[in-house]
Amino acid sequence: MLGFIGAGNMATALARGWGRPVLVADPAPGRAERLVAELGGEVLDDNVLLARRAETILLAHKPEQLETVAAEIAPLTAGKTVISILGGVGVARLEAAYPDANVVRTIPNTPSEVRRGVTCIAEGGESAVELFEQVGRVFVVPESQVDVAMSVMSVAPAYVALVAEAAVDAAVQAGLPAPQATDMFLATLAGTAELIEARGGDTLAVRRSVTSPGGSTARGLAELERHGLRTAFAEATRAVLRR
Ligand SMILES: NC(=O)c1ccc[n+]([C@@H]2O[C@H](COP(=O)([O-])OP(=O)(O)OC[C@H]3O[C@@H](n4cnc5c(N)ncnc54)[C@H](OP(=O)(O)O)[C@@H]3O)[C@@H](O)[C@H]2O)c1
């Protein structure tokens, strides 16, 4: 069974996506218990017990806890696979913390819960591809690209949710009922993603096909540009990378 160290938001999303019984250790009262009640498996009282039992260990605690957790369990991970989902923690630091394990650096995202996730795996971690493909798409990228990839896949679900919220709020202010506005926007989001894919990733072609000269789309786009949409995304990415 896969062993989870930490049963927070990302661990829960992945575990639900995989849909299989799990071994879990998490000091927060009730969190590991809730996950096991939902999926089956077993709650372990501490990380050492978990590391003894699990063949593959998923590090799903906060990045700052890497060294503390490794001090407890590293000696028990010789020959085992340790998969990290820790944001901003590079392979070198993982290998230093778990010198005798097969270490894999990944960054997943929360849509993994509904098996529409995206996971980035740092080169060298190909052994984990099959596991993460069960919950969505997998991109194996050079380690140097993992952090920047986070801005378009790992933090991006929050951006998309915020954009949806903003668009729906604006429509509600203009008189559309919220449930209808939400359904329409979400269906449009999913449909547009598929259309852009069908056009080979050509966002400009899709945008142009909606934008007639002097028309309402052109007026709307001009306002988004005037209010700094591109700068906002550029600054957001810089902020994500600034650890
Ligand atoms: N959320 C995302 O979308 C996302 C995406 C990609 C990667 N990640 C990465 O996933 C990791 C977890 O993020 P999250 O958003 O799921 O955070 P989270 O909800 O705070 O979950 C972390 C869990 O680990 C527990 N924990 C703390 N110390 C521990 C220890 N020593 N041993 C075992 N468990 C411990 C925490 O308990 P307490 O609350 O009691 O501290 C909490 O339940 C982070 O490293 C993050 O960078 C997250």
Side-chain angles (χ1 to χ4, degrees), residues 8-10 26-27 31 47 60-63 65 85-87 108 154:
N9 292 308
M10 196 59 239
D26 189 310
R31 218 170 269 167
N47 296 336
H61 49 72
K62 289 288 187 191
Q65 289 146 353
I85 65 165
L86 314 182
S154 158

